[in-house]
């Protein structure tokens, strides 16, 4: 019995814990938490913490997903298309060129609204609301879900640390 438990525990450690909901109205993230996780290596997105958080809440998209997605796709604000075109998500036009936006905030709202198609059961893009379901149509890179899940896990762990530290201060 101990051997079975040890094997199951090992599998839990090795196998990524997918299952993040992309589309959800249930979020309790705060601006302070997002600002906290955007310090140091992620500071390129720090000015947009509020917009990412509020856009997610407005459209019913998990703000942690948006933060991880925008971080990955913009190199945490270091990509050329982010710097030159205000394009936080690397969205392209039909001719393959990167789309330009007047501001990063405009791009965040544009992409979030565009993601709603992945949550519309009448759309060909719809496959479900979990990360792996959305990624099935959104990104064909076989490692996308694993990479994004890893980023979300890391961000969530840092937010949990922030929350724990705040409780000890009160």
């Amino acid at each position: 019995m101990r051997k079975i438990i040890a094997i199951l525990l090992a599998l839990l450690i090795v196998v990524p814990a997918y299952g993040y909901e992309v589309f959800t109205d249930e979020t309790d993230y705060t601006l302070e938490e997002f600002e906290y996780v955007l310090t140091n290596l992620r500071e390129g997105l720090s000015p947009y913490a509020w917009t990412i958080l509020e856009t997610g809440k407005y459209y019913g998209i998990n703000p942690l997903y948006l933060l991880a997605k925008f971080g990955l796709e913009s190199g945490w604000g270091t990509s050329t298309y982010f710097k030159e075109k205000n394009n936080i998500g690397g969205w392209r036009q039909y001719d393959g060129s990167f789309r330009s936006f007047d501001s990063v905030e405009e791009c965040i709202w544009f992409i979030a609204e565009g993601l709603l198609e992945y949550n519309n059961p009448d759309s060909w893009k719809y496959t479900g609301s979990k990360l792996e379901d959305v990624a099935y149509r959104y990104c064909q890179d076989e490692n996308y879900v694993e990479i994004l899940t890893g980023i979300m896990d890391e961000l969530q762990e840092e937010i949990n640390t922030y929350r724990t530290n705040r409780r000890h201060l009160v």
Side-chain angles (χ1 to χ4, degrees):
M1 184 64 157
R2 286 183 184 170
K3 190 173 186 177
I4 293 172
I5 292 172
I7 292 171
L8 289 174
L9 287 174
L11 283 174
L12 287 174
I13 292 169
V14 173
V15 176
Y18 300 147
Y20 280 107
E21 291 284 335
V22 172
F23 299 101
T24 178
D25 290 328
E26 296 185 24
T27 181
D28 62 347
Y29 298 111
T30 67
L31 179 58
E32 293 77 21
E33 291 167 347
F34 271 31
E35 288 173 339
Y36 175 79
V37 299
L38 289 174
T39 57
N40 301 321
L41 298 175
R42 302 184 193 115
E43 65 188 15
L45 297 188
S46 192
Y48 312 104
W50 182 87
T51 305
I52 294 168
L53 184 65
E54 290 305 309
T55 303
K57 289 179 180 180
Y58 181 84
Y59 284 116
I61 301 172
N62 184 339
L64 190 68
Y65 163 76
L66 288 177
L67 183 59
K69 173 190 175 339
F70 292 145
L72 173 64
E73 294 177 4
S74 74
W76 297 104
T78 64
S79 70
T80 302
Y81 50 84
F82 175 81
K83 291 178 179 180
E84 295 178 2
K85 298 183 178 277
N86 294 319
N87 190 331
I88 196 170
W91 276 42
R92 297 179 184 261
Q93 303 192 80
Y94 290 110
D95 67 2
S97 63
F98 288 105
R99 186 180 180 112
S100 290
F101 294 89
D102 291 334
S103 69
V104 173
E105 291 84 359
E106 176 193 7
C107 182
I108 292 169
W109 286 95
F110 176 85
I111 291 174
E113 185 175 353
L115 288 171
L116 293 179
E117 199 169 353
Y118 294 86
N119 195 37
N120 178 354
D122 295 329
S123 169
W124 70 271
K125 293 181 180 181
Y126 177 78
T127 54
S129 65
K130 292 196 180 305
L131 175 57
E132 56 270 24
D133 299 330
V134 173
Y136 177 77
R137 294 270 193 244
Y138 178 77
C139 180
Q140 285 68 49
D141 183 329
E142 63 187 48
N143 298 315
Y144 183 76
V145 173
E146 184 177 345
I147 292 167
L148 208 56
T149 298
I151 294 169
M152 291 175 75
D153 286 345
E154 184 178 316
L155 292 169
Q156 185 62 59
E157 188 175 311
E158 290 177 29
I159 288 170
N160 291 344
T161 299
Y162 176 82
R163 289 174 177 174
T164 300
N165 291 340
R166 294 238 7 204
R167 274 183 284 212
H168 291 304
L169 294 175
V170 177

